Amino acid sequence: YQRRVHGAAARAGLSSDDPSPALKLLRRFVAEKDGPLRRRVKCIARAMNPQECGFNSVTSGLIAKNNATPFIVRDTSSFFSSDGYFEIDVDVHNFGKPARIGLYGCSSVLTQLVFDFAMVVEGETDDELPEQLLFCSRLTRLDPSIVPHLPP
């Protein structure tokens, strides 16, 4: 499955004369075409109602242990940009095996699950902190059976 989230940043905030450390980091991140900064995309996923979804014991344990724990997607992300446009794609099919098992464990209850998803550029030094969200989204009771299939 694929989930696309699109948004726009306020131009006034991006062109600030006194940018926050997070905004400086974002500017560097977008300007960099390849390099170590692009390997610092951090995601945060939080299941909001796992107790209502009837997960099996293995999946329930994984959610209890890892719910809302930030993770880096350095090897599964790609980037596209043009004038006034920037896109981050994260391919969950390339996640590590434990993460894929956890995600597949959730697939049977997507129509019941509510979860929040967010991304940040990881700050590593004091001048890059505090981190601020790039975006966040609430995904509510997704039903893959009603999504039209697109031709290849």
Side-chain angles (χ1 to χ4, degrees):
Y1 307 112
Q2 182 180 55
R3 168 78 168 131
R4 287 188 176 239
V5 178
H6 296 269
R11 294 227 183 256
L14 292 175
S15 62
S16 172
D17 292 333
D18 186 24
S20 68
L23 182 53
K24 289 177 188 175
L25 180 61
L26 176 61
R27 287 176 178 172
R28 286 185 16 240
F29 179 81
V30 171
E32 185 174 278
K33 297 301 177 200
D34 285 312
L37 193 56
R38 289 286 177 96
R39 297 175 54 84
R40 290 166 48 186
V41 175
K42 188 180 340 185
C43 296
I44 306 164
R46 179 178 177 203
M48 300 303 294
N49 63 337
Q51 67 286 351
E52 298 172 16
C53 296
F55 287 114
N56 65 41
S57 61
V58 173
T59 304
S60 291
L62 285 170
I63 290 172
K65 181 180 178 186
N66 299 300
N67 203 17
T69 300
F71 58 97
I72 301 289
V73 291
R74 72 185 81 217
D75 297 322
T76 61
S77 52
S78 53
F79 310 92
F80 304 93
S81 62
S82 63
D83 187 36
Y85 176 81
F86 187 78
E87 178 179 325
I88 302 172
D89 290 344
V90 177
D91 187 348
V92 299
H93 296 95
N94 292 327
F95 279 8
K97 188 172 183 175
R100 285 196 324 268
I101 289 170
L103 285 172
Y104 297 148
C106 295
S107 63
S108 64
V109 295
L110 280 176
T111 57
Q112 302 164 31
L113 186 62
V114 176
F115 66 98
D116 292 342
F117 183 76
M119 285 182 146
V120 301
V121 177
E122 181 183 41
E124 292 182 335
T125 60
D126 287 345
D127 64 326
E128 295 176 341
L129 299 173
E131 296 172 339
Q132 290 181 316
L133 294 179
L134 288 176
F135 88 93
C136 60
S137 175
R138 173 160 284 184
L139 306 171
T140 304
R141 297 176 174 88
L142 303 175
D143 188 351
S145 70
I146 63 173
V147 175
H149 292 276
L150 301 175

